[in-house]
Amino acid sequence: MRFTLMLWLYLMATGAAFTQELTGFAFDAFTNSLDNQEVEGHVIGGLSGITYDEQTGRFLAITDNSETKNNRTRKANIYSFLMIRDTDNNLKIEDLQVVSLKGDLANINPESIRILGDEYIIADEAISTTRLLKTSKDGKLIAELHQMSGIRYNSGFEGTCISEDQKHIYFSMERPAEEQIASRGTEEGNLGVLNLYRYNFETEEVDGQYLYPLHLPPATASLNEDQRKNFMRDNGVTEIVFYNDSTLLTLERAFLGPGQKKLHVRIYKTTLSNDYNIFEGNFNLLKPELLFDLYDEDLPCGVDNIEGMTFGPGKKQLFLIADDNFDHYGAQTTQIISLNVK
C-alpha cells in the first residue's frame, strides 16, 4: 500500500504539467547575452531552433546558414549551453560550447532541432528542397528521413516535434503552397492552409497529414501600406511543440520589415486527432486557439524574430529564441524569452 501511494504521488508530481489543461502563458524572464557573442571562433547568429536535453540538463540552439552578407561563419552549428537564474531571477548562459555539423551537413540551412535518444533530428530548408535529417550527437549524418522538392522559397520544413511515445515526429511547412492559398486562402479568414506531417520511425514513412489554417495578422493603424503587405506575406509557422499527447503548440511569426523592433509573434494550441488526418480521409482544418500574443504584451525585452521554442524541465516554462538574421535587415537581437505555463 505504501509503495502504491508513493508511486501515485510521484506520478502526480511529475505528470501534473503534462495532464492539466494548458490555458496560457505569462512572461517570466529573458536574456540577450548570446547576441553576437563569439565562441571558438564563431560569432553567434541566425539561431532558428532550440531544444532542451533532459539527459544533460543543457539547451541546444541551432544556427541556420542563410545566404546573407553578414553571415560571417557560413557554417551550420549547434550551440550547447546551461541556462540558470541569477539572484534577480534573470536568465544567464553558462558553459557555452560548439558542436559543428560535419561534412556536407555544415552547408545545410537548419531551422529546427529535436533530440531522439542519442541522436538529433534536424529540419533542413534549402531554396527548392527541404529535408528531415537524422544525425549523431557529434554532428555526423546518419540518414535522410524525408525529402520534399518544388517548395516555395523560404517555406519548407520549419517546425518539428517528437511525440510523447517517441514513435513519430511531426513536422510543419512554414507557409502554404501556392495552390493552398488559392483553394482555401479565404476560408475562415485565413491566409491559406499549410501542411503538417507525421513521420513514423518504425515504418519509415509519412502516415499523417493535417491542414493548419495560417492566421491573418490583424492590421494595425501604425503600419504603412508596404509594411502591411510584408506583414501578411511573411506570416508563417516557425516552430511546433507538444504539450501532451494531443495538444500541439504552434508558433506564428510575421515580420514587419526592416527597422521594426517588435515583431508579431503568437502562440496557438490545437488538438491533433484522426478527425483531422488526411490519411484517414478527413480534410477538416485544424482549429487553433490563441493562447498568447507577444505583440500585445508590454515585454521589457521587446519581441524580435522568434523562430524556435521548447519546453524546459518539467514543462513549467516555455523558452523562445530569436533569429537575428545575422543583422542582414538591420540591427536585430539574438534573444531568449521564457514564459511561465498557466
Side-chain angles (χ1 to χ4, degrees):
M1 173 67 77
R2 178 180 174 83
F3 174 77
T4 302
L5 176 60
M6 293 299 291
L7 178 61
W8 180 82
L9 289 173
Y10 171 80
L11 291 174
M12 289 295 291
T14 58
F18 307 94
T19 58
Q20 69 184 32
E21 182 181 359
L22 179 61
T23 59
F25 298 97
F27 175 77
D28 172 41
F30 78 99
T31 178
N32 293 340
S33 61
L34 286 178
D35 190 46
N36 289 321
Q37 185 173 156
E38 188 168 345
V39 55
E40 297 180 23
H42 302 280
V43 178
I44 294 178
L47 298 182
S48 296
I50 187 171
T51 195
Y52 175 69
D53 189 341
E54 294 182 353
Q55 293 182 352
T56 64
R58 300 177 68 86
F59 287 84
L60 304 171
I62 195 163
T63 177
D64 65 23
N65 193 20
S66 53
E67 292 296 323
T68 62
K69 62 183 179 182
N70 297 325
N71 185 353
R72 287 157 285 185
T73 303
R74 292 283 179 178
K75 297 294 180 183
N77 293 302
I78 299 169
Y79 296 98
S80 171
F81 52 89
L82 296 171
M83 194 147 47
I84 63 171
R85 308 275 178 154
D86 63 17
T87 55
D88 296 321
N89 198 40
N90 298 313
L91 294 177
K92 290 183 62 177
I93 304 297
E94 289 192 347
D95 193 25
L96 182 60
Q97 301 174 11
V98 180
V99 179
S100 296
L101 297 179
K102 308 300 191 300
D104 291 340
L105 280 181
N107 300 313
I108 68 173
N109 185 37
E111 296 292 347
S112 181
I113 182 171
R114 298 299 179 200
I115 298 171
L116 182 67
D118 293 326
E119 299 166 339
Y120 296 147
I121 305 295
I122 296 173
D124 170 32
E125 182 188 58
I127 294 177
S128 60
T129 301
T130 187
R131 302 180 299 167
L132 199 62
L133 307 174
K134 179 190 289 187
T135 77
S136 63
K137 286 192 173 181
D138 61 356
K140 297 176 182 177
L141 179 65
I142 295 176
E144 179 181 291
L145 302 181
H146 190 68
Q147 181 185 119
M148 186 178 296
S149 301
I151 61 170
R152 290 175 62 198
Y153 172 72
N154 198 29
S155 301
F157 301 161
E158 185 83 13
T160 63
C161 62
I162 295 174
S163 61
E164 297 287 301
D165 61 10
Q166 305 276 291
K167 293 181 178 179
H168 297 89
I169 184 166
Y170 292 73
F171 55 101
S172 59
M173 307 296 285
E174 184 174 3
R175 298 181 183 87
E178 293 289 354
E179 61 270 18
Q180 290 175 310
I181 297 175
S183 64
R184 305 185 77 165
T186 59
E187 187 171 335
E188 300 180 14
N190 62 61
L191 283 173
V193 294
L194 56 84
N195 289 314
L196 190 155
Y197 300 96
R198 183 179 70 190
Y199 177 89
N200 188 312
F201 288 120
E202 182 178 353
T203 64
E204 299 182 348
E205 294 181 345
V206 172
D207 64 1
Q209 181 179 353
Y210 309 84
L211 299 176
Y212 179 89
L214 186 62
H215 295 87
L216 179 69
T220 61
S222 63
L223 303 182
N224 60 41
E225 190 62 29
D226 287 340
Q227 288 172 339
R228 291 186 186 188
K229 289 179 180 178
N230 285 334
F231 200 11
M232 293 173 60
R233 181 176 61 246
D234 191 71
N235 194 39
V237 171
T238 59
E239 192 56 279
I240 59 177
V241 67
F242 272 112
Y243 176 67
N244 57 32
D245 285 327
S246 60
T247 303
L248 182 77
L249 300 186
T250 54
L251 179 68
E252 292 191 25
R253 177 237 46 211
F255 186 45
L256 295 176
Q260 296 294 320
K261 290 302 295 178
K262 190 173 184 181
L263 276 70
H264 203 296
V265 178
R266 293 177 288 179
I267 300 172
Y268 293 83
K269 75 172 180 179
T270 187
T271 299
L272 285 184
S273 72
N274 279 334
D275 292 338
Y276 303 97
N277 189 350
I278 290 178
F279 279 60
E280 299 293 333
N282 298 316
F283 291 82
N284 301 314
L285 298 186
L286 293 169
K287 300 186 181 301
E289 173 189 344
L290 180 63
L291 281 186
F292 196 69
D293 191 334
L294 279 77
Y295 188 80
D296 288 343
E297 297 289 325
D298 187 20
L299 303 185
C301 54
V303 181
D304 215 299
N305 185 36
I306 303 294
E307 290 205 359
M309 68 177 174
T310 186
F311 280 108
K315 293 190 176 178
K316 295 178 181 179
Q317 279 91 30
L318 183 71
F319 292 87
L320 311 175
I321 197 165
D323 173 2
D324 70 349
N325 291 304
F326 300 99
D327 292 333
H328 180 69
Y329 302 105
Q332 290 184 267
T333 303
T334 298
Q335 64 183 179
I336 296 177
I337 300 172
S338 69
L339 306 175
N340 286 326
V341 175
K342 297 165 67 176

